[in-house]
Amino acid sequence: MFLHEHACDDAARGVILFRAGRPVGARGADRMFRRTRRVLSDILALRHIEAYLVAGVAAALVVVHILGGSVPTEAQEATVLAALTVLILRSVSPGRAPTFDQIAEDRSGFDRHPLSERWKSAREVCIFAPSGVNLLSAANADLLRREVLARPRGIVRVVLLDPTCVEAVDQTGHHLDDELDYPTQRLGPGIDATMEQLRTMASWPVAGSFEYRVLGYNPGFSLLVTNPSQAGGSVIVEFHGFHNEATVGRMHIELTRDVSDRWFAYWVDQFEHMWRRAARPTGHQQGASMEGLNE
């Protein structure tokens, strides 16, 4: 990126800086316009109205003082007390609820919030996916080993679609593969590859607990649950939908206890029901430690 300097009128001693071909002054004007528009939007929607009222009164008193008018001490003290009250109330009140677009994403959201960040301090990860071929890639499996399974109380549980349930695999493959405009992989081989990956993971000598199971049908969504029993836990629910341009376009929502304690608990409970209904695959090899897992 180049920085271009153009000298203006020397008498005015003005210098306009350009970044990427755009004047800095214009960018400042844009920011001011956006802030003004946000303030007007807040006022029309009666958001933070108490803060704007106090700020308006304070600004009016300042203008009166600048113009030489007399501002009563009582008015000054009342304005200060009102401002302090607003600050205290805003410090203890919950933050603004996120909009739906802030919790809904497609898979490009994982580029902005990668798994390496999500699992850095994770102690429990629960996964359901028909094949899990993307989520449980070799790189992500190694990430689970280095982060979650390296902890003595770390827990990883995985549920996949049962590859021996041929009818369920065929039906789900028709849904997930044939209803894509641009498919890049097939469900059946994806399940086989992930099952081999899971068998390898189960043989790792790790400090944490690892187990995987299989389910006989596809419920129409995928789940990624991180730290379900902790305050900072999250649940990502990806809806398979009926038709997608590509796999990366599938919609998911991310829930935390702050967003909705009720629906966070609901989706955590969905995984627990799936886990109890799922079965250990034939020839299943249990991970290094299974103490504490729900049966």
Side-chain angles (χ1 to χ4, degrees):
M1 184 177 295
F2 293 92
L3 181 65
H4 302 283
E5 297 186 0
H6 298 266
C8 295
D9 185 5
D10 291 338
R13 301 178 67 184
V15 176
I16 302 177
L17 300 181
F18 283 75
R19 288 189 178 92
R22 189 178 183 186
V24 170
R27 295 176 63 181
D30 286 346
R31 285 195 296 269
M32 182 64 70
F33 176 75
R34 287 196 297 269
R35 289 172 183 169
T36 303
R37 186 172 58 183
R38 184 182 65 186
V39 169
L40 292 176
S41 175
D42 285 347
I43 292 174
L44 291 175
L46 300 180
R47 288 191 298 264
H48 314 307
I49 195 67
E50 69 288 343
Y52 290 123
L53 284 174
V54 172
V57 171
L61 294 178
V62 169
V63 170
V64 171
H65 179 72
I66 291 175
L67 295 178
S70 176
V71 179
T73 303
E74 293 81 0
Q76 297 178 35
E77 293 175 347
T79 303
V80 171
L81 289 174
L84 289 174
T85 301
V86 170
L87 288 174
I88 293 172
L89 289 175
R90 287 173 66 84
S91 68
V92 300
S93 62
R96 183 185 301 181
T99 64
F100 186 77
D101 284 339
Q102 289 175 310
I103 65 172
E105 278 273 19
D106 57 24
R107 290 191 180 181
S108 65
F110 290 107
D111 296 330
R112 290 183 289 276
H113 305 286
L115 294 175
S116 57
E117 293 180 3
R118 298 175 184 275
W119 291 346
K120 189 171 184 179
S121 60
R123 296 189 176 276
E124 183 174 2
V125 173
C126 308
I127 296 169
F128 167 75
S131 74
V133 68
N134 296 308
L135 186 57
L136 290 165
S137 65
N140 289 339
D142 190 63
L143 183 62
L144 287 171
R145 177 189 65 81
R146 290 183 285 108
E147 298 292 349
V148 187
L149 294 174
R151 301 181 177 92
R153 293 185 175 272
I155 297 172
V156 175
R157 292 182 287 168
V158 179
V159 179
L160 295 185
L161 191 62
D162 190 343
T164 66
C165 295
V166 178
E167 184 177 353
V169 172
D170 288 345
Q171 185 179 40
T172 304
H174 177 67
H175 174 203
L176 299 184
D177 297 337
D178 298 343
E179 286 299 334
L180 290 175
D181 291 335
Y182 303 98
T184 57
Q185 54 200 359
R186 307 300 297 182
L187 179 68
I191 296 176
D192 293 338
T194 306
M195 289 293 290
E196 183 61 32
Q197 178 69 64
L198 295 177
R199 284 190 286 267
T200 300
M201 293 173 67
S203 68
W204 289 345
V206 292
S209 303
F210 175 78
E211 188 178 3
Y212 65 99
R213 297 181 181 181
V214 291
L215 192 66
Y217 56 91
N218 176 33
F221 57 83
S222 299
L223 282 176
L224 172 59
V225 184
T226 304
N227 289 337
S229 60
Q230 297 185 20
S234 68
V235 178
I236 295 177
V237 188
E238 182 179 86
F239 303 99
H240 297 162
F242 181 77
H243 180 85
N244 289 281
E245 183 179 40
T247 303
V248 295
R250 289 184 190 150
M251 169 193 161
H252 70 254
I253 59 172
E254 181 169 3
L255 299 173
T256 63
R257 295 184 188 277
D258 290 338
V259 172
S260 174
D261 191 65
R262 173 190 176 188
W263 294 113
F264 175 85
Y266 173 87
W267 285 105
V268 170
D269 195 50
Q270 290 296 301
F271 180 84
E272 295 300 340
H273 280 289
M274 295 169 69
W275 181 254
R276 289 192 290 269
R277 184 69 61 88
R280 291 184 175 89
T282 304
H284 170 71
Q285 181 180 355
Q286 190 166 278
S289 171
M290 296 310 301
E291 182 180 355
L293 292 187
N294 296 324
E295 294 294 338

